[in-house]
Amino acid sequence: MIGLDRLSLNQATVKHLSVPEVAALCGRHEIPAIGLWRDRVAETGLAGAAAAVRAAGLHVSSLCRGGFFTQAGPEGLAAARADNRAALEEAAELGTGTLVLVSGGLPPGQRDLGLARRMIADAIGSLVPEAQRLGVRLGIEALHPVFCADRCVISSLGEAVDLALLFPADAVGVVVDTYHVWWDARLADEIARAGRRIVSFQVCDWVLPLPRDTLLGRGHLGDGCIDFGPVTAAVTATGYDGDVEVEIFNEEVWDAPPDQTAATVRERFAAELGGPLGPTSG
Amino acid sequence: MIGLDRLSLNQATVKHLSVPEVAALCGRHEIPAIGLWRDRVAETGLAGAAAAVRAAGLHVSSLCRGGFFTQAGPEGLAAARADNRAALEEAAELGTGTLVLVSGGLPPGQRDLGLARRMIADAIGSLVPEAQRLGVRLGIEALHPVFCADRCVISSLGEAVDLALLFPADAVGVVVDTYHVWWDARLADEIARAGRRIVSFQVCDWVLPLPRDTLLGRGHLGDGCIDFGPVTAAVTATGYDGDVEVEIFNEEVWDAPPDQTAATVRERFAAELGGPLGPTSG
C-alpha cells in the first residue's frame, strides 16, 4: 500500500553514523529521504548537514526534536521556548516541513498531569507564529504511556489530536508512531480524526522481552507484535501521502553493519507496508 | 475522602507471607480487608484460607485472578474456561464478590489485537451465567499499555468499560488500578462512565526509574508520580463505596519487614486518600 519511494530512514536507526554518512548510506540503498536529529546535525554543522543531504539527492522528512516544554520556572520555560524557536529555524534551513515534538513529562516535583498538559498547550501556542512564518509544522507526538512521567504526558494519539486541533492546521499537526500507539483500541478512529493533521508517520515494531532501557525496545518491522497492515491502511485513508520514517532504537540494530541495517529496513518496509519488493500485504 | 475503614491489603504487597500470615498482619494493623491470590490460597487450601480470614475478622475484597483468555486452540480455550470457572467458585467460597481478570495478551503467534479482543469478549460472555449463579462479578482490569502484547490487550479504562457494558451489570464490571491507568487524559471521564460498574479500586504509585522487570515498578502511595486526589474523587463520585486495595509489586517492599510495610500502607493511604489519620487531601 506504501511503496519504497516513500521510505525515509531516520538517522536514529543507524545511531553511530554522522549525517553525511547516513546520507551516503541512503544514497547507496535508494532510500529517498532521511529523518534528522538536531544533535547530529549540530555536530556536522547546519549548512554542512543540509549540503550533505542535497548532495546525496535526498530530502529531509522531519527533524527530531523540539518539545520538553514542562520546565520549572520562568527561566526554564524561556530556555525551552528559545530552543524550540531555534529548532524551527533549523528545520526550515534543512528544508523539512516537520519538527517532531516530544512534549515533556511531569514538571519537576509535580504530579499534576493537567498542569503539564496546559504548559504544553501554552508553549505550542506561543510557537505558532514562528512555525507559520517558517513554513514548518510542529508535529505533536504521542509517546507510549510508559514514558508519561518523564518524557511526554501526551500519551495517546487522541490526546495529541485534541491538542493539535486547538491550533491552525498549517502550524500544528500530529505524528503517528506505531511503536507508541499500536496498543490503542481507538487507534483507527483517532487516525481518521487526525486526518490531514498527520505530519509524520513513523514505523518500528514492539519487541519482547523489553530491554533494561524501555526506550530501546524497538525492532525491525516484522520482528515484533505490531500488525502494520491496519495502521498503514488507516493512515493512507486520511490522504496522507508523505514520507514514512523507519526509526528504530535498539542496541543490536545499532551494532549491526549499517549497510545490512539499511537493506533490512528496505526489505521489511516492502514486506509489511506492501511496497513493490515484498509479498502482497494481507 | 476515603477512610481507613475501607483499606484492604492485597497480599501481593507482602509477597513472602502465606494467607494466614497476611490475615494475622491485617488483624494486628486494623486493616479490615484482604485481597487474595489464587496460588497462595491453594497453598493454604481453600477452606483453610477462608477460615484464616474469618478468624482474623477480615473480609476478602477480591480474588486475583482469572483471565488469560487468549489461548491457542480449542484445548487451550477449554482449559482457560475451566480455570476461570474454578476461580469463580473459589471467589464465592472465600466470600468475595469480585474476581479480578487479567484478560490476556496477543494469542501465540498472532499480531491481531481485534482477534484477541473478540476472544476475550467471547470468553467473558461464556462465564456470565456462572458468575451470576455464584454472585461473583468478573472485574475487567485494564492493564498499562506496556503489558499489551504479553499480558492484557485491554489497555485503557475506556476499553474495559466498553467491554463490560456488553454484559449484565451483576456479572461484569471493571477494576480501576491507578498504576495502570493514571496516565490517561480521559481517565476522569471514563471513571464517570464506568459508574456502578466499578467492582474494585486498587492503588499504588508509579515510580521511576522503572526496574528491570516492568511489572515491579510500583511503589507506596506518595513515592511516585501519581496524583491520587483527582482519581479518588472521580471514583468516589460514581458512588463506589467498596474496599480500596493497596497492591504493590516491588522487590524492596517485599524485602521489608511486613509489619513495617503494613504501617506504611496505612500511613500513606490516610495521607493520599484523605483518611482520618492523615492531612486533609487537597
Side-chain angles (χ1 to χ4, degrees):
Chain A
M1 304 208 306
I2 293 183
L4 285 163
D5 57 319
R6 290 171 60 192
L7 170 61
S8 173
L9 182 66
N10 187 291
Q11 74 171 124
T13 306
V14 282
K15 177 184 167 129
H16 303 309
L17 300 191
S18 69
V19 171
E21 287 168 340
V22 184
L25 180 73
C26 289
R28 285 199 298 281
H29 291 268
E30 298 180 47
I31 295 173
I34 185 171
L36 295 176
W37 281 69
R38 294 178 67 204
D39 55 340
R40 305 311 298 269
V41 168
E43 285 172 15
T44 300
L46 186 58
V53 169
R54 276 196 305 272
L58 311 175
H59 66 275
V60 178
S61 49
S62 77
L63 180 64
C64 291
R65 64 198 180 201
F68 291 100
F69 297 120
T70 54
Q71 304 297 322
E75 285 179 21
L77 293 173
R81 185 169 172 178
D83 188 57
N84 278 277
R85 290 166 66 99
L88 282 166
E89 287 174 9
E90 291 160 28
E93 179 73 22
L94 292 164
T96 178
T98 300
L99 175 67
V100 176
L101 300 181
V102 173
S103 294
L106 290 167
Q110 300 280 340
R111 302 191 295 181
D112 186 343
L113 282 170
L115 170 64
R117 288 164 177 153
R118 289 190 300 277
M119 291 171 73
I120 291 165
D122 287 349
I124 290 174
S126 77
L127 293 169
V128 162
E130 188 78 353
Q132 289 177 314
R133 185 178 71 77
L134 292 165
V136 176
R137 286 190 293 180
L138 301 159
I140 302 169
E141 181 162 19
L143 257 59
H144 193 285
V146 77
F147 305 116
C148 181
D150 52 350
R151 304 187 73 78
C152 182
V153 298
I154 311 298
S155 300
S156 68
L157 181 61
E159 194 183 341
V161 172
D162 287 343
L163 184 53
L165 290 174
L166 298 176
F167 305 105
D170 64 345
V172 183
V174 299
V175 178
V176 177
D177 183 323
T178 57
Y179 173 80
H180 291 302
V181 300
W182 73 279
W183 52 270
D184 189 347
R186 291 173 167 153
L187 182 59
D189 290 343
E190 296 298 351
I191 289 172
R193 193 162 69 91
R196 292 296 187 155
R197 293 283 180 147
I198 297 175
V199 297
S200 174
F201 181 30
Q202 298 184 329
V203 291
C204 74
D205 216 333
W206 176 276
V207 293
L208 292 178
L210 295 178
R212 178 73 186 91
D213 180 345
T214 316
L215 276 174
L216 308 186
R218 312 188 192 191
H220 280 296
L221 312 190
D223 282 350
C225 306
I226 298 178
D227 194 0
F228 290 94
V231 61
T232 300
V235 170
T236 301
T238 66
Y240 180 78
D241 58 2
D243 304 297
V244 182
E245 282 188 20
V246 174
E247 182 190 49
I248 304 172
F249 293 63
N250 179 303
E251 291 278 1
E252 284 180 33
V253 172
W254 290 339
D255 292 340
D259 281 288
Q260 176 188 316
T261 296
T264 302
V265 162
R266 271 178 61 91
E267 286 167 20
R268 299 299 183 83
F269 189 91
E272 295 289 338
L273 273 66
L277 288 189
T280 305
S281 177
Chain B
M1 308 209 304
I2 293 182
L4 284 163
D5 57 318
R6 289 170 61 192
L7 170 60
S8 173
L9 183 65
N10 186 292
Q11 74 170 124
T13 306
V14 283
K15 177 185 167 127
H16 302 309
L17 300 191
S18 67
V19 171
E21 288 168 340
V22 184
L25 180 74
C26 288
R28 285 199 299 280
H29 291 268
E30 299 182 46
I31 295 172
I34 185 171
L36 296 177
W37 281 69
R38 293 179 69 204
D39 55 339
R40 307 310 298 268
V41 168
E43 284 172 14
T44 300
L46 186 58
V53 169
R54 276 196 304 274
L58 310 175
H59 66 275
V60 179
S61 49
S62 76
L63 180 64
C64 291
R65 62 191 184 209
F68 291 100
F69 297 121
T70 53
Q71 303 299 320
E75 285 178 20
L77 293 172
R81 185 170 171 177
D83 187 58
N84 278 278
R85 290 166 66 99
L88 282 167
E89 288 174 6
E90 292 161 26
E93 179 73 20
L94 291 164
T96 178
T98 300
L99 175 66
V100 176
L101 301 181
V102 173
S103 294
L106 289 167
Q110 300 280 341
R111 302 190 295 182
D112 186 343
L113 283 170
L115 169 66
R117 287 165 177 152
R118 289 191 299 276
M119 291 173 72
I120 291 166
D122 287 348
I124 290 174
S126 77
L127 292 168
V128 164
E130 188 79 353
Q132 289 177 315
R133 186 178 69 77
L134 292 166
V136 176
R137 286 190 292 179
L138 301 159
I140 302 169
E141 181 164 18
L143 257 62
H144 193 285
V146 76
F147 305 117
C148 182
D150 52 349
R151 306 187 71 80
C152 183
V153 297
I154 311 297
S155 301
S156 68
L157 181 61
E159 195 184 341
V161 173
D162 286 342
L163 183 54
L165 289 173
L166 299 176
F167 305 106
D170 64 345
V172 183
V174 299
V175 178
V176 177
D177 184 323
T178 56
Y179 172 79
H180 291 302
V181 300
W182 73 278
W183 53 271
D184 189 349
R186 292 173 167 153
L187 183 58
D189 290 343
E190 296 297 350
I191 289 173
R193 194 162 69 92
R196 292 295 186 157
R197 293 282 180 148
I198 298 175
V199 298
S200 175
F201 181 30
Q202 298 184 330
V203 290
C204 74
D205 216 333
W206 177 276
V207 293
L208 292 179
L210 295 178
R212 178 76 185 86
D213 180 346
T214 316
L215 276 173
L216 308 185
R218 311 188 194 193
H220 281 294
L221 312 189
D223 282 350
C225 306
I226 298 178
D227 192 2
F228 290 95
V231 60
T232 300
V235 170
T236 301
T238 66
Y240 180 79
D241 58 2
D243 304 298
V244 182
E245 284 188 18
V246 174
E247 183 190 47
I248 304 171
F249 293 63
N250 179 304
E251 290 278 0
E252 284 179 34
V253 172
W254 289 340
D255 292 341
D259 282 288
Q260 176 189 314
T261 296
T264 303
V265 163
R266 271 178 61 90
E267 284 167 21
R268 299 298 182 83
F269 189 91
E272 295 288 339
L273 274 66
L277 288 189
T280 304
S281 177

